[in-house]
Amino acid sequence: MDDLKDLKIGITLGYEYSEEFTKAMNEQIIKTETVSRDELNYRKLLGKRIDIFPNDPTVGYAQLRSIFPPEKVKLFTHHPTPLVSTSLNLIISKKCKDAKWYIEKFNSGLKKLDRSGKLQQMKADALTGKYDATITEK
């Protein structure tokens, strides 16, 4: 958090940030500005009214591509060190009689993708927008 103390940080109302981040914010170790929508933070970044906006890179770049034309998207970057690390989980209803089978199949397929290197390629492709829905011209 010490690395962030001299930066103006944009955050989005209703989002949950890490415990450490929230503590630093509440103790005014870091300076934050809250807005109601991510798009406003991106616009504030472009206008140099904030210095950083914590967001998942894959989500962030997809949002940027949906808001701005490509020449503006190129003005954004991200730091390689995550502010917080989280995991995603597969959720299946307990009412599903084949839930265990689906979980086993999912985990098996995920391991195969990881071992083959395809999982990393898919993550990289997601960052660049390969899987984005068709975006209309701005």
Side-chain angles (χ1 to χ4, degrees):
M1 291 299 117
D2 280 344
D3 292 344
L4 305 178
K5 68 182 178 189
D6 294 325
L7 300 174
K8 199 180 306 177
I9 306 165
I11 62 172
T12 303
L13 184 66
Y15 283 14
E16 197 168 306
Y17 296 90
S18 73
E19 191 175 311
E20 183 184 14
F21 185 92
T22 302
K23 182 179 182 216
M25 187 174 64
N26 291 338
E27 293 175 1
Q28 298 181 346
I29 294 167
I30 57 174
K31 297 179 253 4
T32 61
E33 292 187 11
T34 307
V35 295
S36 60
R37 298 186 337 267
D38 290 346
E39 179 178 347
L40 298 173
N41 276 317
Y42 297 127
R43 293 190 184 283
K44 287 174 83 171
L45 278 169
L46 283 175
K48 299 183 190 242
R49 297 193 323 266
I50 59 173
D51 299 306
I52 62 171
F53 170 43
N55 199 347
D56 176 85
T58 303
V59 172
Y61 286 117
Q63 289 174 320
L64 289 168
R65 289 187 297 270
S66 74
I67 298 167
F68 299 111
E71 62 272 8
K72 285 242 172 133
V73 174
K74 290 177 185 173
L75 299 174
F76 292 87
T77 190
H78 69 279
H79 195 283
T81 304
L83 182 64
V84 64
S85 237
T86 59
S87 63
L88 297 175
N89 299 284
L90 177 67
I91 299 174
I92 298 175
S93 171
K94 288 182 179 181
K95 294 178 182 177
C96 178
K97 65 181 175 101
D98 297 324
K100 187 176 179 182
W101 180 85
Y102 285 119
I103 291 169
E104 288 171 2
K105 286 292 185 189
F106 178 86
N107 287 337
S108 172
L110 190 60
K111 284 178 186 169
K112 286 178 187 173
L113 287 172
D114 191 31
R115 281 193 303 266
S116 71
K118 287 183 182 178
L119 185 59
Q120 272 310 113
Q121 183 59 53
M122 291 168 74
K123 288 178 180 181
D125 289 344
L127 267 179
T128 61
K130 181 175 181 177
Y131 308 116
D132 289 359
T134 303
I135 298 173
T136 56
E137 283 296 312
K138 307 274 180 284

